[in-house]
Amino acid sequence: MKPRYTLAVLMLIGCLSITGQPSKTVSIQGQPQTTSTQVTTNQQETILQLQAQNEAIQKQLEKMEKEIELYRGDVRTKVAELEASQSRWTAWICLFVTLLTAGLGGILPLYISNRNDKRLKDSYEKMVGELKEKVSSVEADANSAKESLSEVTELKKDIEAIKKDIDKSKKNAERAARRAMASKLFAQAVSEKNPAKEMELYSEIIGIDPSIAEVYINRGLLRKNMNDEEGALQDYNKAIELNPNYAMAYNNRGVLRSDKNDNEAALQDYNKAIELNPNDADAYNNRGNLRVKLNDEEGALQDYNKAIELNPNNAMAYNNRADLYLKMNDFDKALADVNHSIDLGGGYVSFITKGEIYIAMGKYSDAIELFTQALSYNEKGKESFEYRAKCYRKLAEAELDEDKKKELIAKAEADEQKAESLKKESKA
């Protein structure tokens, strides 16, 4: 027998004599199926049901996480054992190769005969195959354990994703419920006739959901009508903060600032409103009024024309243009516009404007009839009494009959007293 085969056979016999227990493959079972949560309603009862379902799912997830942590620890331990076993195999093989090569090289030939050459060679090849199988088994177990650990990690990620989906669905459902309640209260507030109750409803809506810009717009307008200019300004500012592209908010704030004679700021607001919504007839009409205050008659006329172009049924735009034509002493155009305004339902303001035109034309008796008509639209319109008093004074100046003159003066004084009384009443 050849010496190299004899040496190899003895080396493998020594290795097999110290072979340890075979390793076991670790598998992870009981992975939960991913569930999905769906919210289909926006009512409060749905929120309660969702919360109950969420709590049940949370408990299941917590139980699963504990089991996963136990599996994770077992897998890591098994990986460590397999790696240690593999290291021991490698160390023993190296040791025996060294010993058998260095110390037994001269002894092995004494135990091997030529007639055993084939048998030992076959044994050698068999033991080599078994050794390779055991090493491959150890490597396979290690790889399997690592794959199981990876699956546990992925499962952990899936659980976290489920939690996030549940939290997101819960928040969306709660937001939808708040919006539904706010919409219901908003509809009540818009139809409410009592200003104090309307104010309470808007404040209640803001308490439920403070992110609705329209609520601040409506409350701001209500506060302005209740002479709370500072409160109205705060509401308009908040609406713009929530929605910087809200054209109506800029328009309303422009009206408020114009009333407070903050004309430059008002002009900026109107410009911004028109920039955001170039088809807003009211914004052009309001900017035209401001330009009249700023003595920009040409700019005001352009704005009124644009407002009427965008909305041919805008009675106020016709009335305002009529008032501008009156300032420009173009009585024919003024009368044409104010008559159109009256036909469109301009009401009190249109009759006042037409009466002013008649005063400018010296038609005091016709003007008195118009101011009297205006009172049928607004019996507390102090402008009607003021202008009618002015007409009575003008007629008295031209009257030659002393009795009629005294009668006209008495009517003028009565209207002046009424106008003063209404003025004090509005300030109270």
Side-chain angles (χ1 to χ4, degrees):
M1 179 182 292
K2 295 181 181 179
R4 62 177 180 273
Y5 291 133
T6 304
L7 177 61
V9 168
L10 289 177
M11 179 185 69
L12 290 173
I13 291 171
C15 290
L16 288 175
S17 66
I18 62 170
T19 301
Q21 297 292 328
S23 300
K24 297 179 180 179
T25 302
V26 177
S27 63
I28 302 300
Q29 298 179 347
Q31 295 185 8
Q33 295 181 344
T34 302
T35 59
S36 64
T37 304
Q38 183 177 15
V39 177
T40 60
T41 182
N42 57 8
Q43 300 301 320
Q44 188 64 33
E45 292 79 2
T46 303
I47 296 302
L48 296 176
Q49 293 175 4
L50 181 60
Q51 290 174 342
Q53 294 173 2
N54 181 43
E55 290 176 1
I57 293 173
Q58 290 285 11
K59 290 180 180 179
Q60 284 186 326
L61 292 178
E62 291 174 1
K63 182 179 178 181
M64 291 167 61
E65 285 183 335
K66 292 179 180 178
E67 293 176 354
I68 288 170
E69 289 301 323
L70 292 175
Y71 293 149
R72 186 192 295 271
D74 291 344
V75 169
R76 288 175 176 168
T77 300
K78 200 63 182 178
V79 169
E81 291 176 355
L82 291 171
E83 290 177 348
S85 176
Q86 189 174 9
S87 298
R88 287 197 299 271
W89 271 96
T90 303
W92 278 110
I93 291 170
C94 293
L95 177 61
F96 271 90
V97 169
T98 302
L99 290 175
L100 292 173
T101 302
L104 301 177
I107 301 173
L108 287 176
L110 299 177
Y111 296 93
I112 303 174
S113 63
N114 290 332
R115 64 183 181 181
N116 293 328
D117 184 39
K118 187 176 182 305
R119 181 177 61 82
L120 291 176
K121 182 178 179 181
D122 292 340
S123 298
Y124 165 77
E125 292 176 352
K126 180 180 179 181
M127 286 185 287
V128 168
E130 291 176 353
L131 181 60
K132 288 182 178 180
E133 288 179 1
K134 287 187 176 292
V135 172
S136 297
S137 177
V138 172
E139 291 178 349
D141 287 347
N143 291 334
S144 177
K146 289 179 179 179
E147 290 176 0
S148 297
L149 182 60
S150 176
E151 291 175 359
V152 170
T153 302
E154 290 299 321
L155 181 59
K156 179 74 172 177
K157 292 180 181 178
D158 290 341
I159 291 174
E160 292 299 327
I162 291 172
K163 282 185 176 181
K164 290 181 180 179
D165 288 342
I166 291 173
D167 291 341
K168 183 178 180 180
S169 296
K170 179 181 177 182
K171 290 178 181 178
N172 288 340
E174 291 175 346
R175 187 181 299 111
R178 288 197 301 271
R179 282 279 177 170
M181 179 60 71
S183 298
K184 179 180 179 181
L185 292 174
F186 188 79
Q188 293 178 11
V190 171
S191 60
E192 179 60 52
K193 302 300 182 182
N194 186 335
K197 179 61 177 176
E198 184 180 359
M199 182 70 70
E200 290 178 4
L201 288 170
Y202 286 135
S203 299
E204 185 177 352
I205 295 170
I206 291 171
I208 294 172
D209 188 348
S211 64
I212 307 176
E214 290 82 358
V215 178
Y216 291 97
I217 287 292
N218 283 25
R219 192 175 72 172
L221 183 61
L222 180 61
R223 282 177 164 175
K224 179 180 181 296
N225 293 337
M226 297 173 70
N227 297 320
D228 181 9
E229 293 183 342
E230 288 304 316
L233 182 60
Q234 291 176 7
D235 278 344
Y236 293 148
N237 290 340
K238 184 62 177 180
I240 291 171
E241 177 187 333
L242 291 171
N243 184 1
N245 296 321
Y246 198 176
M248 183 184 295
Y250 289 100
N251 181 58
N252 287 12
R253 191 172 69 176
V255 173
L256 178 62
R257 285 175 165 175
S258 179
D259 290 344
K260 297 175 66 176
N261 292 319
D262 189 0
N263 296 327
E264 290 302 322
L267 183 60
Q268 291 178 6
D269 277 343
Y270 290 140
N271 291 340
K272 184 65 175 180
I274 291 171
E275 175 189 336
L276 292 171
N277 184 8
N279 296 319
D280 187 354
D282 289 337
Y284 283 102
N285 181 60
N286 291 335
R287 191 173 69 176
N289 293 339
L290 178 62
R291 283 177 165 173
V292 170
K293 288 176 62 177
L294 297 174
N295 296 318
D296 180 10
E297 294 181 349
E298 193 62 34
L301 184 59
Q302 291 177 4
D303 278 342
Y304 291 144
N305 291 340
K306 186 65 176 180
I308 292 170
E309 175 189 334
L310 291 170
N311 183 6
N313 296 320
N314 190 336
M316 292 309 301
Y318 282 105
N319 186 80
N320 291 337
R321 192 171 67 176
D323 193 54
L324 177 61
Y325 281 138
L326 173 60
K327 293 180 184 297
M328 299 169 69
N329 293 319
D330 192 340
F331 301 137
D332 290 337
K333 289 183 178 180
L335 281 173
D337 273 352
V338 76
N339 287 333
H340 200 161
S341 176
I342 290 173
D343 291 340
L344 291 172
Y348 176 80
V349 177
S350 297
F351 284 102
I352 292 295
T353 301
K354 188 172 182 180
E356 289 182 273
I357 295 171
Y358 279 155
I359 289 176
M361 297 174 68
K363 298 181 177 182
Y364 301 115
S365 297
D366 293 335
I368 289 173
E369 291 181 7
L370 289 169
F371 295 135
T372 302
Q373 277 185 286
L375 288 172
S376 65
Y377 289 92
N378 182 7
E379 60 183 11
K380 293 186 176 182
K382 64 182 181 62
E383 297 87 358
S384 297
F385 293 104
E386 289 174 343
Y387 285 123
R388 197 169 65 176
K390 182 178 180 180
C391 291
Y392 284 137
R393 293 283 184 186
K394 288 291 184 180
L395 291 174
E397 290 175 3
E399 183 58 56
L400 299 178
D401 188 313
E402 288 298 325
D403 291 335
K404 290 184 179 180
K405 179 181 293 230
K406 290 179 181 179
E407 182 179 346
L408 291 169
I409 292 174
K411 289 181 178 180
E413 290 176 346
D415 278 353
E416 289 167 351
Q417 291 176 0
K418 184 63 177 179
E420 186 64 26
S421 175
L422 291 170
K423 187 176 181 180
K424 292 180 180 179
E425 183 180 328
S426 64
K427 290 182 178 181

